[in-house]
Amino acid sequence: MLKFYPSFDHIMNEFKYVGGNLTGLMHGVIAPMVHMPPEPNLKSMTGRMPHYHKETFHDPEKNVEYHLSGYGIFNEEAMIRLMGESVERYAPIGIEKLFRDKVEYASYKEISKKGRTMPLEYLNIFAPEQQKMIAQIMPSYSSEMATEDDIIGWISCPSLVHPGENTYVPMQLLLTGFIKNQEAGEKYFAPAFSTGTASHKSVEKALLNALIEYVQIDSFVISWYTMQKSKRVIIDNPDVLECLERCGFGKDSPYEIIPLYVTLPDMDFPIYTVVLRRKDDKFPYLIVGTQGDLNAPNGVLRGTMEATAIIFMHMFHALFDPEKIEFSNKESIFSDLDTNVLYYGVPDKADEINNLLDQLMDQTILLSEIPSRFEHDTKGQISHLVKEISKVSEYAVYLDITPPEVMEKGWSVMRVLVPELCAMCLPGFPFKNHPRLKKYGGVVNEYPHPLP
């Protein structure tokens, strides 16, 4: 039963609350991506956000790339995702002042006496030589590893795995918009990423999406850098095949779809790294997306769509910024989430990239053989994921970071931090000292990961 008709009119009414050139969270202009045959015909939209970070960080020279986009089979789907992503990107920066008073500045030795506290081993996730390089790239970070006596900003958050209890975690890992307290002598050791942040018109679904994102990135990072052998998925689901056909991934598509089943042994949750590889050795040669979904077939479809949306990034730079493509392949140290993507688009590296891909694959599995879990039950999915996370985590927390100005419009933004899992990393700086990466054999693959 249709709840809103016409649906696009309803979506535009929702957009007026988040988009506007004077008072919007994002600019009022939306740019739909132009279809360029024979590229896949996925609906995709992008937009820009005001430079909130310049005000939050009191730094007019600071530059942040928000990577705003929405995609789907229909324009409505793409626009809904674009709005949700703009709210998600805004929240950690817009909410910073409201949480500042809740932060306690203390050493680990002091704060751990007050209750359960995340150990420093999950803050010292870079190897010593990496820590020094991070400090050179970002001078606000310490060049030395954290000690029990260093002053850190801590916040007490509800525990994800111990209901009714709280856990202290470093604020620098929780919010991308958090500002270092110079007067308190606070030190920074590792950058925060938006991994585990999700927005929705439902608190439960926002939490579910945040959990999914954290687990899927953990599996991707570990499988990529430790070169875990993953099974190639053979798509035998007729609904998925029909959707892919409609998007231009039929037999005449210039791309080969290579889904890899990257679920780790200690996590019962379908996760895929989906690779799009050109059949004709043209640009862009290789594009990668990753998705987890408790509906196993849907995960493959969403991962393919995520990868497809990245094609436009390659096209844009080829047309308007070819120098960045050259820089990505000759000079970049991959301390951003742009040059790593462009690195894999150049066909000159086809043999090298194919060799790398061959090392990541082993055996095959039918999509129909991968079980789904509670695909139509949000509470059931959350319970299942929390149960899986609790098997590997003692210090996982969650936090509602919804800014008041979007809360009153019905949005919810949830933040999850699971220190024992690997979050997104700078492509050239995998967390060599993270206990979980070391558990799975340590960093073997020195190639930067290809996700934006």
Side-chain angles (χ1 to χ4, degrees):
M1 178 180 175
L2 288 176
K3 189 173 182 181
F4 302 105
Y5 182 83
S7 60
F8 203 79
D9 287 356
H10 170 71
I11 294 169
M12 287 303 296
N13 285 332
E14 289 289 322
F15 176 71
K16 70 183 181 182
Y17 295 126
V18 297
N21 291 331
L22 296 178
T23 59
L25 301 187
M26 61 183 298
H27 293 170
V29 177
I30 292 177
M33 299 294 99
V34 178
H35 181 214
M36 297 174 287
E39 299 301 318
N41 187 19
L42 185 73
K43 306 301 182 185
S44 182
M45 298 182 181
T46 187
R48 297 194 64 81
M49 296 183 72
H51 294 166
Y52 303 111
H53 53 276
K54 295 183 185 294
E55 292 293 329
T56 302
F57 291 99
H58 309 296
D59 184 358
E61 302 301 320
K62 191 174 184 65
N63 184 44
V64 172
E65 183 57 61
Y66 289 101
H67 286 152
L68 278 186
S69 68
Y71 57 85
I73 296 176
F74 304 102
N75 283 316
E76 291 88 343
E77 188 180 4
M79 192 162 180
I80 289 170
R81 283 193 169 126
L82 177 62
M83 285 192 292
E85 194 156 279
S86 68
V87 172
E88 174 193 318
R89 296 291 193 269
Y90 168 76
I93 292 179
I95 202 72
E96 193 271 344
K97 288 185 180 179
L98 295 181
F99 280 105
R100 197 180 299 169
D101 292 339
K102 301 179 184 297
V103 177
E104 299 180 43
Y105 297 94
S107 68
Y108 175 82
K109 190 180 296 183
E110 295 167 332
I111 204 74
S112 60
K113 296 175 182 177
K114 302 183 67 173
R116 184 184 295 106
T117 304
M118 186 199 88
L120 292 180
E121 64 179 328
Y122 299 114
L123 187 59
N124 286 325
I125 51 181
F126 293 114
E129 66 276 9
Q130 288 181 304
Q131 192 72 47
K132 288 181 170 59
M133 286 192 68
I134 288 290
Q136 291 175 5
I137 299 167
M138 296 178 282
S140 60
Y141 288 83
S142 172
S143 61
E144 304 296 329
M145 311 288 273
T147 71
E148 291 190 347
D149 297 313
D150 288 321
I151 300 299
I152 296 167
W154 301 87
I155 184 168
S156 179
C157 297
S159 172
L160 190 68
V161 295
H162 298 286
E165 301 181 23
N166 278 30
T167 299
Y168 279 102
V169 296
M171 197 63 164
Q172 61 188 268
L173 295 182
L174 199 67
L175 289 186
T176 53
F178 183 60
I179 302 170
K180 181 166 67 173
N181 189 329
Q182 303 277 14
E183 294 181 0
E186 182 182 15
K187 290 185 178 181
Y188 271 10
F189 299 94
F193 286 86
S194 61
T195 304
T197 309
S199 65
H200 208 283
K201 282 302 188 80
S202 156
V203 174
E204 288 181 344
K205 289 185 177 179
L207 176 60
L208 173 62
N209 290 344
L211 291 169
I212 288 173
E213 184 177 67
Y214 218 112
V215 176
Q216 77 187 25
I217 292 297
D218 171 72
S219 289
F220 167 78
V221 167
I222 289 176
S223 65
W224 181 268
Y225 287 107
T226 68
M227 300 195 80
Q228 295 286 306
K229 290 286 188 179
S230 302
K231 293 181 179 179
R232 179 171 178 170
V233 179
I234 306 301
I235 303 175
D236 60 345
N237 183 289
D239 293 332
V240 173
L241 291 171
E242 182 181 350
C243 287
L244 293 175
E245 177 79 31
R246 291 181 61 179
C247 292
F249 282 108
K251 60 182 176 60
D252 296 327
S253 168
Y255 293 95
E256 175 188 11
I257 302 176
I258 306 173
L260 302 179
Y261 185 50
V262 297
T263 298
L264 297 173
D266 56 9
M267 202 64 62
D268 179 17
F269 176 49
I271 303 171
Y272 311 94
T273 293
V274 180
V275 177
L276 302 183
R277 180 168 61 184
R278 292 286 298 209
K279 300 174 184 176
D280 53 11
D281 290 353
K282 292 183 179 179
F283 179 89
Y285 183 69
L286 197 82
I287 306 104
V288 179
T290 188
Q291 283 291 330
D293 201 304
L294 285 154
N295 180 317
N298 198 44
V300 170
L301 183 60
R302 290 175 57 226
T304 306
M305 288 183 173
E306 182 182 84
T308 305
I310 301 170
I311 293 174
F312 299 107
M313 176 180 172
H314 288 274
M315 298 299 185
F316 176 86
H317 283 93
L319 291 170
F320 302 109
D321 194 6
E323 292 82 6
K324 191 165 186 176
I325 296 177
E326 184 175 0
F327 173 80
S328 302
N329 284 271
K330 293 183 178 180
E331 300 179 46
S332 178
I333 60 172
F334 305 110
S335 60
D336 59 72
L337 294 171
D338 288 325
T339 56
N340 61 313
V341 177
L342 298 174
Y343 178 83
Y344 293 96
V346 178
D348 296 352
K349 288 188 170 66
D351 290 341
E352 186 179 349
I353 291 172
N354 289 337
N355 180 57
L356 173 62
L357 195 57
D358 287 342
Q359 294 180 64
L360 293 170
M361 290 190 294
D362 183 34
Q363 303 180 349
T364 60
I365 185 172
L366 294 175
L367 180 55
S368 58
E369 294 177 338
I370 302 173
S372 295
R373 297 280 189 259
F374 309 99
E375 55 259 50
H376 301 300
D377 178 5
T378 300
K379 290 184 178 179
Q381 291 185 45
I382 291 173
S383 296
H384 179 78
L385 280 171
V386 170
K387 179 182 176 182
E388 293 303 301
I389 290 171
S390 66
K391 293 190 300 186
V392 299
S393 176
E394 173 74 14
Y395 304 100
V397 298
Y398 67 95
L399 193 64
D400 187 332
I401 60 168
T402 314
E405 57 269 32
V406 297
M407 184 185 295
E408 66 177 9
K409 303 305 179 185
W411 288 94
S412 294
V413 186
M414 297 299 292
R415 175 72 168 111
V416 170
L417 176 65
V418 187
E420 293 91 342
L421 299 184
C422 290
M424 177 61 84
C425 63
L426 297 174
F429 296 86
F431 305 131
K432 290 185 175 181
N433 205 39
H434 196 292
R436 187 160 170 84
L437 255 175
K438 291 164 75 173
K439 171 190 171 183
Y440 277 93
V443 175
V444 175
N445 183 9
E446 295 290 343
Y447 282 85
H449 75 70
L451 293 187

